[in-house]
């Protein structure tokens, strides 16, 4: 019996727990951090930030919109990103959230919300891949012009009764998008991304 399957750089398991994918991701990040620590003395502050942006950040965001809602993933990623922030800033006993603010980083939970919201925005503006149309549905009503329609909310999905269904993309995506302020949603792509990041940083 096949328990998981690799597709490009993503490991999908038969329970949608993303444990295998996350473990592979954390292993790769740890190896990058180990190398980063060895060369940090030879890098300027700017080069350290570039190293993170080019060699570590892309790994943390593989399949982030699907696996980023996992509580265990958030906790482990928080610790790893804290280690990276300390390498870059070399602080004296500072809280991790303070370091993230200094680096203007979103937390991993907020990066997950960022990617989900950008994906929905592209869907609403006809910029997403076609198969996304089968996963996301706008709120609609033939008789009344409800606020959820004018705000371009997604159709509300009843909370699933099992842990597996709670992790389904359609449910988690609806929850993230409908919580965003309308002012953040109604802009062009580049402006939307900038406003969304500013909103999440607050």
């Amino acid at each position: 019996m096949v328990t998981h399957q690799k597709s490009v750089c993503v490991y999908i398991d038969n329970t949608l727990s993303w444990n295998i994918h996350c473990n592979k991701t954390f292993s790769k990040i740890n190896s990058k951090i180990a190398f980063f620590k060895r060369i940090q003395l030879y890098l300027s502050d700017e080069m350290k930030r570039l190293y993170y942006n080019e060699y570590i950040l892309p790994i943390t965001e593989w399949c982030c919109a699907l696996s980023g809602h996992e509580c265990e993933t958030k906790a482990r990623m928080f610790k790893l990103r804290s280690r990276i922030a300390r390498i870059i800033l070399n602080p004296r006993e500072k809280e991790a959230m303070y370091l993230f603010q200094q680096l203007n980083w979103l937390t991993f939970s907020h990066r997950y919300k960022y990617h989900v919201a950008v994906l929905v925005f592209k869907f609403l503006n006809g910029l997403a891949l076609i198969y996304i149309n089968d996963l996301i549905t706008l709120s609609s009503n033939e008789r009344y012009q409800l606020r959820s329609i004018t705000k371009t909310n997604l159709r509300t999905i009843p909370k699933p009764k099992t842990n597996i269904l709670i992790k389904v993309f359609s449910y988690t995506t609806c929850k993230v998008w409908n919580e965003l302020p309308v002012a953040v949603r109604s802009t062009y792509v580049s402006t939307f991304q900038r406003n969304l990041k500013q909103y999440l940083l607050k």
Side-chain angles (χ1 to χ4, degrees):
M1 175 177 158
V2 178
T3 59
H4 67 277
Q5 179 67 44
K6 182 180 179 181
S7 177
V8 190
C9 295
V10 178
Y11 292 83
I12 304 173
D13 62 61
N14 58 353
T15 63
L16 296 182
S17 66
W18 299 101
N19 289 335
I20 296 175
H21 172 76
C22 292
N23 288 335
K24 296 285 186 181
T25 299
F26 294 137
S27 177
K28 291 179 181 179
I29 295 174
N30 275 318
S31 65
K32 296 292 184 183
I33 293 176
F35 180 71
F36 194 13
K37 290 180 69 175
R38 290 199 297 270
I39 65 173
Q40 62 176 313
L41 296 178
Y42 307 100
L43 303 177
S44 65
D45 292 342
E46 182 62 25
M47 293 170 67
K48 289 178 182 178
R49 297 183 187 224
L50 286 173
Y51 179 90
Y52 168 73
N53 289 330
E54 295 297 326
Y55 295 103
I56 300 179
L57 182 59
I59 300 176
T60 67
E61 300 191 339
W62 285 346
C63 210
C64 179
L66 292 176
S67 62
H69 61 277
E70 294 280 358
C71 293
E72 183 180 353
T73 301
K74 295 176 183 178
R76 293 175 68 181
M77 195 65 76
F78 181 84
K79 292 180 180 179
L80 288 176
R81 296 178 82 235
S82 298
R83 288 172 57 194
I84 298 167
R86 294 183 187 283
I87 294 174
I88 295 175
L89 297 176
N90 193 26
R92 291 183 178 180
E93 299 300 325
K94 296 290 185 180
E95 293 286 341
M97 292 304 299
Y98 172 82
L99 301 181
F100 293 166
Q101 291 174 1
Q102 293 296 106
L103 293 166
N104 202 33
W105 285 0
L106 293 172
T107 63
F108 183 72
S109 297
H110 284 158
R111 289 209 67 85
Y112 158 70
K113 291 182 179 181
Y114 174 87
H115 286 292
V116 168
V118 170
L119 184 59
V120 174
F121 184 86
K122 289 182 178 180
F123 156 75
L124 295 174
N125 290 274
L127 301 173
L129 297 175
I130 296 176
Y131 68 85
I132 298 296
N133 297 341
D134 299 326
L135 304 175
I136 302 175
T137 306
L138 276 172
S139 179
S140 62
N141 189 297
E142 296 180 355
R143 297 181 60 187
Y144 305 104
Q145 189 70 1
L146 303 178
R147 282 184 297 175
S148 61
I149 300 175
T150 58
K151 291 166 59 178
T152 64
N153 276 1
L154 299 184
R155 186 180 65 187
T156 303
I157 300 175
K159 186 175 180 179
K161 297 181 180 180
T162 65
N163 290 331
I164 292 180
L165 292 178
I166 285 177
K167 302 169 185 176
V168 171
F169 179 76
S170 300
Y171 175 73
T172 57
T173 300
C174 174
K175 188 176 180 181
V176 170
W177 178 260
N178 289 352
E179 289 176 353
L180 287 180
V182 178
V184 175
R185 304 181 196 178
S186 54
T187 52
Y188 296 105
V189 177
S190 58
T191 309
F192 171 74
Q193 291 175 320
R194 183 172 62 251
N195 291 345
L196 176 61
K197 183 176 182 180
Q198 292 174 351
Y199 167 74
L200 293 174
L201 281 171
K202 293 179 182 179

